[in-house]
Amino acid sequence: MTQPQMPDLGDLLRKAQEMQAQLAEAQDALAEREVTGVAGGGAVKVTATGAYEFRKVEIDPIVFKDGDETMLEDLVLAALHDVVDRIQDLNADALGGLSGLTGLIG
């Protein structure tokens, strides 16, 4: 009967450090990428980075013509939800592309 081989702790530590560096690189790259969430067929747009830094809100002046504050509030909220969903997708895609991480987090 053979004894199970002990993992090389130095190798495990090196791999963990490499994965940590890959993750930090991916997070830095995501922080620079911008995505835009839209609502109302583009009447409201919210732009943010992959690090959830909100950069811009654009509202088409046509939205103000009706004077419906509730509709505008709903559109802004919908655009915020859309941009957050897009950021989450962006982050999931980035993490899925990192070699070695998928086995640890998936």
Side-chain angles (χ1 to χ4, degrees):
M1 195 181 225
T2 61
Q3 295 273 338
Q5 188 174 0
M6 294 294 292
D8 180 354
L9 295 180
D11 188 46
L12 285 175
L13 180 59
R14 182 186 55 76
K15 286 180 181 178
Q17 288 171 334
E18 286 174 5
M19 286 187 282
Q20 186 177 17
Q22 285 180 338
L23 183 58
E25 267 183 45
Q27 288 172 330
D28 289 344
L30 287 171
E32 294 178 17
R33 293 203 46 199
E34 287 187 353
V35 293
T36 300
V38 297
V44 175
K45 298 176 185 176
V46 175
T47 302
T49 68
Y52 295 92
E53 180 185 326
F54 293 89
R55 296 259 171 106
K56 182 174 27 171
V57 175
E58 298 172 80
I59 301 173
D60 189 321
I62 194 93
V63 175
F64 296 109
K65 289 187 179 180
D66 292 336
D68 187 351
E69 291 175 23
T70 303
M71 181 187 67
L72 177 58
E73 291 167 351
D74 290 343
L75 288 173
V76 170
L77 188 58
L80 284 168
H81 284 287
D82 188 43
V83 78
V84 167
D85 288 344
R86 291 172 189 258
I87 293 169
Q88 289 173 341
D89 290 344
L90 186 69
N91 281 297
D93 289 345
L95 287 177
L98 292 179
S99 62
L101 283 180
T102 52
L104 291 177
I105 60 174

